[in-house]
Amino acid sequence: MIGQDSWNIQLDSNGRLKHFLTIEGLGSQILTEILDTAESFANVNEQRMKKVPLLRGKTIVNLFFEASTRTRTTFELAAKRLSADILNINISTSATSKGESLLDTLQNLQAMLCDMFIVRHCDSGAAHFIAGNVAPHISVINAGDGRHAHPTQAMLDIFTIRRNKGHDFGRLRVAIVGDILHSRVARSQIHALNTLNTGDVRVIAPKTLLPTDIEDMGVTVFNDLQTGIRDADVVIMLRLQKERMQGALLPSEHEYYSLYGLTEERLSAAKADVIVMHPGPINRGVEIESRVADGNRSVILDQVTYGISVRMAVMSMVLGRQPEPNESGAH
Amino acid sequence: MERLLVSNGLILDPVTQSVRTSSIYIADGKIIAIDYQPDGFQADQTIDASGLIVSAGLVDLCARLREPGLEFKADICSETRAAAASGITTLCCPPDTDPVIDEPAVVELIHRKAAKAASTLVLTLGALTNGLKGQLLSQMSALRAAGCVGISNGRNPVPNTLILRRAYAYAANCGLTVFIEPDDHWLSAGGCAHDGPVATRLGLQGIAVSAETVAISRALELILETGVKAHFGRLSSAHGVELIRRAKERGMDITADVAAHQLFLNEMDIGSFNSMCHVLPPLRSQRDMEALRQGLKEGVIDAVCSDHQPHDPDAKQAPFASTEPGISALETLLPLTLRLVDHQVVPTFSALSLISSRPAEILGINAGVLAVNRPADLCVYAPEQEWQLDPAAMLSRGKNTPFAGWHFSGKVRHTIIGGQVVYRT
């Protein structure tokens, strides 16, 4: 399992989404299908009766090895609106380091006869590892693995952009600002934006927060915020974690804000109808000014709402598939 | 003492660069004649080597046997047998065992267990500093007396440069070669892959080339000042090769090796988190891999080693960064080195010398040369025999190899150590 060259471990033999681990390697057709399906669920979510019976009888396990509120609860809500049963399991990494290996943990949970694991883990590649080692009838959705990927977050961001800017990504300039080095969200966003042929994808960060050869992922690099966001249609701010000061990556939050904080004044360099996004949680006064976060160009709270529809879309696509012969027999 | 005849083999001698069909006469653990049968020689045992290549036994500069300390992964007995089956007649074990090889008792323990296994000869490197902690000098003279052929701090850091300088000076005083695995601990700590596009895409913490080059540069300056004899092991980068090249051009008496896997794999082989490709130093770019090959071709790199690191299966069963680095590599040392000939990196003679006479010279031992009066350590292999690597069929207890399923040509048929046949198929 481990050694297999598994770019498309995510797809079944008919090319349908079996696991959702990374945007990389998925075509625009699948991404568009996710967006269109999410659009139909967005209508469900706006109705008074918010539940559909699509996944009745399915069991989904939220398997979080790393703390999360927003992502976990939106997955939970999405599962409930699809009428699935959902179980929340929070395993602090210290518990696994006490002796039980990740593989042992998985085998124990698998014995509970569930259909899907939604996984968050601090190691890059954890979701791939889990997908490669679970019973064949179980699907895995990556809810964030290390610095590698956070594909549902990226899709809800794309969904937000599409709702605000329309379907033609070719004419858009999107700037992603902040700690690219440690960001799984940025990596997934970059893949998704490029898969959908976005005209100009930029990353803006100090040199200490940029990974080596990030240009190879299809982005233009800027170290200066002013230049980078000029005429942008979309500005995506990333959270700056306080630990970054300890690693000597930055001198202080104050200095970071003075150079890379998104203020009303700086935002004026972008297009007049620019939208401002943030995957949350926000550090006001560190990466973004409150006036911007709460201002009329901010779509930050819409992102959270859309997150439910997008996660419903992914879950229903993955679990609504006709199972293949090699996936049966486990129940 | 048994007399052994290896008859009608193709004898490849990298030192004299000659090839001929001939026979080798062995008595008292030594080669007593080649080509001509000595008067009164009667073989107790004959190996028919028709169609087979007879070379000096292979000498591996770096193989971890996991004993003492990690016997659940492998042990001296299992690994020396796997080595013998791979044509390796001498191997050198670095000091990072548990307990560390920093006192004579540990050296003696390893040598005693190796003697009991009666297979590949095991040499040891002593620790440069006590416990490999980089603070206090080890008892180098006592370690040397106990049999250590050199001294090393492995990949463990010596943070204080003055201590490193003194350790080198003291090693020089004891007539010991220092074996350096160049790594700047602070530049590599926490990293698990080459700091390049693949690590960036996969979100793995990178190890920059500077982790190697900063350590090489620092060591070179101290070698110059202390006059210690030094060997750089496990080079991984084009810039690292370049630093060694320049040092040699200025006349410094240093040597270098590369692990065989670095010549065939690069960062791309990590693919989608293939933990079998988690090694330290990391697999670097295609350009680095080509520079390592060029370094071999030009003699900047003197030898190829296995860098054998056998693991239990669990060690590789986790998300990439949480897996343990290393490859079980004894069984691919000869076939990968022979593949360098197919890839026209080096001719057959040089290929064999990279894994026999050159490492023997680096270790300062009487081995690796096929000549009269030399120890009868031989590797007899079928050059054309094709085989496919199946991890389950490996003799090492570590089945962790990224080369599973690869097709190789060249299979060891007999291994002779000190005139004794220790392996045959």
Side-chain angles (χ1 to χ4, degrees), chain A residues 35 157-176 192-194 196-202 218 220 228-236 271 273-275 277:
Chain A
L35 297 171
D157 296 332
I158 297 293
F159 186 85
T160 310
I161 296 172
R162 200 173 82 160
R163 274 220 156 177
N164 283 279
K165 298 287 170 192
H167 288 233
D168 181 12
F169 280 68
R171 52 176 195 82
L172 295 183
R173 171 174 289 173
V174 180
I176 306 171
L193 289 165
N194 282 323
L196 296 171
N197 281 318
T198 305
D200 184 6
V201 185
R202 305 175 153 197
T220 323
I229 64 168
R230 191 163 296 151
D231 294 328
D233 298 283
V234 178
V235 176
I236 302 175
K271 286 208 179 126
D273 63 347
V274 66
I275 56 168
M277 298 168 55

Side-chain angles (χ1 to χ4, degrees), chain A residues 2-3 5-7 24 102-103 123-126 128-129 133 147-148 187 191 211-214 216-217, chain B residues 195-197 199-206 271-276 314 316-322:
Chain A
I2 282 278
D5 192 16
S6 51
W7 289 114
E24 191 183 6
L102 180 52
L103 218 49
D123 274 348
S124 298
H128 274 81
F129 173 75
N133 284 283
R147 306 173 181 182
H148 172 233
R187 284 174 176 79
H191 283 306
T212 306
D213 297 330
I214 183 75
D216 286 19
M217 286 180 68
Chain B
D195 190 31
T200 289
R201 190 167 49 76
L202 295 178
L204 298 173
Q205 190 171 328
S272 184
F273 301 105
N274 181 358
S275 63
M276 292 303 172
D314 286 352
K316 291 289 187 186
Q317 284 282 347
F320 192 88
S322 295

Side-chain angles (χ1 to χ4, degrees), chain A residues 26-47:
Chain A
L26 298 179
S28 60
Q29 203 186 338
I30 285 189
L31 301 196
T32 306
E33 189 185 344
I34 294 172
L35 297 171
D36 292 346
T37 313
E39 199 66 60
S40 68
F41 286 125
N43 300 330
V44 172
N45 285 328
E46 282 153 20
Q47 283 163 16

Side-chain angles (χ1 to χ4, degrees), chain A residues 5 24 44 59 103 112 118 134 138-139 184 196 209 236 239 243 252 269-270 274 289 294-295 299 303 307 319 322 330:
Chain A
D5 192 16
E24 191 183 6
V44 172
T59 307
L103 218 49
M112 297 178 193
I118 293 161
V134 289
I138 296 179
S139 288
R184 53 193 172 212
L196 296 171
L209 296 179
I236 302 175
R239 174 179 165 79
E243 301 94 272
S252 69
V274 66
E289 185 183 32
D294 305 329
V299 293
Q303 287 175 268
L319 286 183
Q322 199 65 32

Side-chain angles (χ1 to χ4, degrees), chain A residues 254-272:
Chain A
H254 177 75
E255 180 150 325
Y256 181 77
Y257 186 69
S258 73
L259 293 173
Y260 297 96
L262 188 65
T263 59
E264 279 289 343
E265 189 192 344
R266 286 190 175 136
L267 191 57
S268 62
K271 286 208 179 126

Side-chain angles (χ1 to χ4, degrees), chain B residues 228-243:
Chain B
V228 73
K229 201 163 175 314
H231 173 75
F232 289 88
R234 310 331 86 72
L235 295 188
S236 72
S237 70
H239 285 158
V241 175
E242 190 50 36
L243 288 175

